[in-house]
Amino acid sequence: MKNLINDVATEARALLNGILADCDTDDTTGTCLFASLLLARLAHSKGLSAVIRGGDGKSDGGLYTMYGGFGHYWCEISYNDEFHIVDISADQFGFEGVIVQNIKEVEGWPRYIPGNQDVVNAGVEELFNHGY
């Protein structure tokens, strides 16, 4: 199943790269919410369950490196009760552009700590209602 999730993540990243190229950039800084929404929609279209997660990098979850926490959004994608952390914009923090990790086998950096889901959902709603 991880192959399907990897394929979806790779396809979503290719779509993101195309959008960035249309904007004359390849920099993913600040694109994590949009990237996560793109990833979640694509995952749903392939029959996978996806939830956008995130945190502020301070007191309410986020992406953590050996140097500290960062505000960030990513997806948890599941199929048949197997959950994966999937991030298609981690390169803005110096990591690979596509990260797929089984949620039970997370080792090393980066580490993903989900924050308050109501706050995350409000961020997604803001994107829908007012744009980026």
Side-chain angles (χ1 to χ4, degrees):
M1 185 44 45
K2 188 172 180 182
N3 288 338
L4 175 59
I5 295 172
N6 278 330
D7 290 348
V8 167
T10 300
E11 184 178 346
R13 179 56 195 237
L15 291 168
L16 178 62
N17 286 345
I19 293 166
L20 291 171
D22 287 346
C23 298
D24 296 319
T25 188
D26 61 0
D27 184 7
T28 60
T29 302
T31 66
C32 57
L33 180 54
F34 176 78
S36 296
L37 180 60
L38 176 69
L39 175 59
R41 298 289 293 178
L42 184 60
H44 288 147
S45 78
K46 306 287 185 178
L48 299 169
S49 176
V51 176
I52 298 173
R53 302 287 191 208
D56 65 9
K58 298 174 187 162
S59 62
D60 188 32
L63 179 143
Y64 290 84
T65 72
M66 62 181 17
Y67 305 107
F70 298 89
H72 191 54
Y73 293 94
W74 64 92
C75 285
E76 281 183 15
I77 298 179
S78 63
Y79 185 81
N80 289 339
D81 296 324
E82 189 174 307
F83 293 83
H84 289 82
I85 293 167
V86 184
D87 187 349
I88 64 167
S89 63
D91 52 323
Q92 66 185 296
F93 302 106
F95 298 102
E96 294 294 319
V98 175
I99 292 177
V100 178
Q101 299 175 334
N102 185 303
I103 207 162
K104 294 180 182 177
E105 300 171 5
V106 175
E107 295 179 358
W109 305 104
R111 295 193 182 131
Y112 295 86
I113 309 295
N116 181 309
Q117 193 61 41
D118 290 336
V119 174
V120 172
N121 293 345
V124 172
E125 185 176 335
E126 180 75 13
L127 176 61
F128 273 117
N129 291 336
H130 302 289
Y132 208 24

